[in-house]
Amino acid sequence: MPTYRAPVEDAQFLLNDVFHVERYSNLPGFADASPDVVEAVLSEAGKFSEQVLQPLNRIGDKEGCKRAPDGSVTTPAGFKDAFKQIVEGGWIGISAPTEFGGQGLPMLMTQLVNEFLCSANMSFAMYPGLTQGAIAALIAHGTPEQKAAYLPKMIAGVWTGTMNLTEPHCGTDLGLLRTKAVKQPDGSYKITGTKIFISAGEHDLAANIVHLVLARIEGAPSGTKGISLFVAPKFLPKPDGSLGARNALGCGSLEEKMGIHGNATCVMNYDGATAWLLGEENHGLTAMFTMMNEARLGVGVQGLAMSEVAYQNAAAYAKERLQGRALTGAKFKDKPADPIIVHPDVRRTLMTIRSFNEAARALVMWTAIASDLHRRSDDEKARQTADDHMGLLTPVIKGVLTDQGFANAVMAQQMFGGHGYIVEHGMEQFVRDARIAMMYEGANGIQALDLVGRKLPKDGGRALQAFFAEVQGFVKEKSADAAMKPYVEPVGKALGHLQQATMWFMANALGKPDNAGAGSMDYMHMFGLVALAYMWTRMAAAAQDKLKAGANGAEARMNAKLVTGRFFMERVLPETAAQLARITAGAASMMELPAEQF
């Protein structure tokens, strides 16, 4: 059976020693996030994930969700009680505004907690995670009346939330959307249409489900300019906040899918359902992207989370499984064979995954801090810089962390040989569950196109230039430090590759857009490698500082970080050279064959 241990110590190292969150104590919520509070929150989230959610993971996968003839959905055994504990612990609203019942702590705390929940039980974690995305959209775009009606109950977890975008004929291209909204005399709307792939669209965990639905108002312009966002609850709330009549919407069927069996993925039918406009007419995508950006960062966390739990189980197995002898001679002569951890290729696999996990966690945290600065700072320039950072890094985090998270789950499964292919050890479930993260909330090819086509040139390349300047500045600052050379020199070289690729796009993609499309995935992953490597330079510097100061019993952990960072620089980061070669090859051979030749 698989196991999981929340990486609480690693998270605290990032918070305290790498990003020095105490410097933000002047911002709302950060003053409340004292080291003691942070340690308590992370420790409790870790215990809940390890002791409650992880044991339910295999149960959820085996049982799945069940739909009754009346459209109601039952979640797997144990899920209702676990969700009750989520509600009682206030986990959904730890970063939500206190005025609506939240705890007001920084968003970075939510992202760390969500990583723990997802590693332990990704299917379960999607229920509160989707609710948090819907809460963000309501905070940003809801009227005072809508906020008062929905936010307190959603933040408390009494009600949950969803997002309804995809239709049978349209996924990424929302301009093809057909779901119709007809305005009523009282200002409400009637929604008619079908949505598919709606995670947590129906379940038995909460008294009400608040659906955020994209639809086209009668007479609205065609394409994306005519899309609006609506609030359509499962039960219509009464003026006193109690539940009223059942709305004309429901789960038509449950999707049978490869993984995340414990989450109810629904076909949702809207048959003249009562709904209310959220935000402005025909500006639904603007409002929805508030939730999408939250969701994409959360999906990136899922990629990291699955990589982490898969790594932990692979590392434990490699230290126990006896197979062959070390190339340099037997290490455990009293045993019939050595544990496979002695073999270089096993270590290559484990170090590849581990070096990614630690840097990915730092990258998520760096971006979550930017989210907090954007929302909480009263410095306009700081807010703009933070917003630029989030816009640039969101597609990278979503695309790279989920692509690599799945690849890492597969590599971790390989450590078990044939045992990884059977159910007993749980590795095949990690692979199946990790696969969806590459697809939903915008498939990764779309993330790459968004990065190259929209985010790079946005505002004259302001966000990109800020990223280049920060990385270059850190490399220059540390270049005279001999201990930092194994880290900053490879980063400087890889950053040069990224800058060359950017300039190549500028010279070759404007006249031939296919060149941008052909190189976009390589560019996104190159960007991701540089960003992850930059995180390693920050972590290496912090680890060295901690060792110089005595490390307080953390010497082994800090030295392990320095070795892991060196591995990333030597064995992972050089991929940027190959990516640059592929990008500058252009699109000619890729686009030459006529369609009928495929």
Side-chain angles (χ1 to χ4, degrees):
M1 290 292 289
T3 60
Y4 173 65
R5 183 175 180 271
V8 174
E9 287 182 330
D10 190 61
Q12 289 179 297
F13 168 72
L14 292 172
L15 286 167
N16 300 325
D17 300 294
V18 177
F19 295 111
H20 301 284
V21 292
E22 72 276 2
R23 71 180 63 174
Y24 305 112
S25 60
N26 61 314
L27 297 179
F30 278 85
D32 298 323
S34 65
D36 289 345
V37 169
V38 168
E39 183 176 6
V41 169
L42 294 181
S43 295
E44 287 304 310
K47 289 177 185 176
F48 177 71
S49 299
E50 295 162 5
Q51 298 173 11
V52 178
L53 295 188
Q54 193 277 331
L56 293 175
N57 193 42
R58 187 173 178 182
I59 293 171
D61 185 60
K62 186 176 180 180
E63 290 188 8
C65 295
K66 303 290 191 295
R67 179 186 177 276
D70 64 358
S72 62
V73 172
T74 303
T75 53
F79 273 43
K80 283 186 73 173
D81 181 64
F83 196 81
K84 182 181 178 183
Q85 293 181 57
I86 282 273
V87 171
E88 292 171 348
W91 292 110
I92 293 175
I94 60 175
S95 298
T98 55
E99 63 186 290
F100 299 112
Q103 298 177 42
L105 291 173
M107 177 58 66
L108 66 92
M109 294 300 300
T110 291
Q111 297 300 347
L112 284 169
V113 168
N114 284 352
E115 183 203 327
F116 298 173
L117 303 184
C118 285
S119 281
N121 194 325
M122 180 171 156
S123 293
F124 178 90
M126 291 171 66
Y127 293 101
L130 287 159
T131 302
Q132 289 167 341
I135 287 169
L138 281 159
I139 290 172
H141 303 287
T143 64
E145 293 77 16
Q146 288 171 336
K147 292 177 181 179
Y150 295 105
L151 287 177
K153 289 184 171 60
M154 294 174 72
I155 288 168
V158 179
W159 297 354
T160 60
T162 71
M163 52 195 300
N164 288 236
L165 289 76
T166 307
E167 300 183 5
H169 60 283
C170 82
T172 300
D173 190 356
L174 291 171
L176 300 176
L177 182 145
R178 295 175 187 161
T179 298
K180 183 175 65 174
V182 179
K183 194 167 187 177
Q184 304 299 299
D186 64 357
S188 67
Y189 291 79
K190 295 293 185 183
I191 303 286
T192 302
T194 297
K195 299 288 185 177
I196 63 170
F197 306 155
I198 308 306
S199 300
E202 175 61 31
H203 55 76
D204 58 355
L205 304 180
N208 201 7
I209 303 173
V210 180
H211 300 284
L212 301 192
V213 188
L214 284 182
R216 194 182 304 280
I217 297 173
E218 246 185 347
S222 60
T224 57
K225 293 181 180 179
I227 297 174
S228 300
L229 182 62
F230 298 88
V231 182
K234 174 180 173 180
F235 290 97
L236 301 174
K238 295 179 180 179
D240 64 359
S242 62
L243 296 181
R246 174 68 188 258
N247 208 350
L249 59 89
C251 172
S253 64
L254 288 175
E255 303 287 1
E256 295 184 20
K257 51 193 190 292
M258 177 179 176
I260 56 168
H261 294 156
N263 195 271
T265 306
C266 303
V267 174
M268 296 297 298
N269 296 321
Y270 292 83
D271 302 309
T274 300
W276 291 269
L277 185 68
L278 181 61
E280 300 178 37
E281 283 190 13
N282 303 329
H283 287 77
L285 286 188
T286 301
M288 182 58 84
F289 268 108
T290 300
M291 189 159 61
M292 285 292 288
N293 286 334
E294 294 273 339
R296 285 172 175 171
L297 186 57
V299 173
V301 169
Q302 290 178 346
L304 161 62
M306 299 311 296
S307 180
E308 175 65 31
V309 70
Y311 164 79
Q312 289 188 18
N313 284 273
Y317 186 79
K319 288 185 281 189
E320 297 170 357
R321 173 69 170 176
L322 302 181
Q323 195 82 23
R325 291 294 188 184
L327 298 176
T328 53
K331 304 302 181 187
F332 294 79
K333 295 180 180 179
D334 59 325
K335 296 182 179 181
D338 287 334
I340 63 174
I341 192 72
V342 303
H343 301 306
D345 193 60
V346 168
R347 286 177 171 247
R348 175 193 62 80
T349 300
L350 295 176
M351 289 292 283
T352 298
I353 305 172
R354 176 175 177 155
S355 66
F356 165 83
N357 291 350
E358 295 192 32
R361 185 172 297 113
L363 185 59
V364 167
M365 193 174 299
W366 186 36
T367 305
I369 290 171
S371 173
D372 283 315
L373 287 171
H374 175 60
R375 292 181 179 184
R376 301 171 190 242
S377 177
D378 57 7
D379 183 322
E380 185 175 348
K381 185 176 180 181
R383 288 201 310 273
Q384 182 188 82
T385 300
D387 191 41
D388 286 350
H389 172 102
M390 290 175 60
L392 182 67
L393 268 295
T394 295
V396 175
I397 287 174
K398 196 282 179 184
V400 174
L401 267 59
T402 60
D403 274 354
Q404 196 60 45
F406 173 73
N408 289 348
V410 172
M411 285 194 285
Q413 181 190 35
Q414 185 73 12
M415 290 296 91
F416 288 72
H419 294 287
Y421 198 68
I422 61 175
V423 171
E424 179 184 356
H425 291 284
M427 302 305 289
E428 56 85 34
Q429 184 189 346
F430 297 149
V431 171
R432 289 185 288 106
D433 286 353
R435 186 64 183 89
I436 184 57
M438 302 163 70
M439 300 178 184
Y440 59 17
E441 310 306 346
N444 288 351
I446 298 299
Q447 302 300 323
L449 288 173
D450 176 49
L451 175 65
V452 171
R454 295 178 57 212
K455 300 303 174 61
L456 298 190
K458 189 174 184 292
D459 300 312
R462 185 176 66 207
L464 181 67
Q465 293 306 317
F467 176 82
F468 286 164
E470 177 163 349
V471 178
Q472 283 176 322
F474 194 86
V475 167
K476 184 178 180 180
E477 176 190 341
K478 300 295 182 181
S479 60
D481 184 347
M484 284 296 293
K485 282 190 177 181
Y487 307 96
V488 295
E489 286 186 353
V491 171
K493 185 175 181 180
L495 180 64
H497 292 157
L498 183 62
Q499 290 170 322
Q500 289 177 61
T502 306
M503 294 299 294
W504 191 87
F505 277 145
M506 291 175 63
N508 295 278
L510 293 177
K512 295 181 179 179
D514 279 345
N515 282 331
S520 60
M521 281 294 285
D522 277 303
Y523 186 89
M524 179 181 73
H525 279 274
M526 181 192 288
F527 203 117
L529 282 176
V530 172
L532 293 169
Y534 174 51
M535 292 297 96
W536 266 119
T537 63
R538 299 275 298 266
M539 289 188 287
Q544 289 175 355
D545 288 345
K546 202 169 179 68
L547 286 167
K548 290 174 186 175
N552 294 324
E555 291 88 353
R557 283 199 305 116
M558 294 303 103
N559 282 316
K561 286 192 178 296
L562 293 174
V563 173
T564 307
R566 273 187 16 241
F567 175 91
F568 188 90
M569 300 302 175
E570 295 168 1
R571 306 283 302 194
V572 181
L573 190 57
E575 178 67 15
T576 59
Q579 289 162 338
L580 178 62
R582 291 193 290 266
I583 290 167
T584 55
S589 62
M590 192 177 295
M591 304 304 293
E592 186 172 335
L593 287 180
E596 57 268 20
Q597 292 295 317
F598 283 87

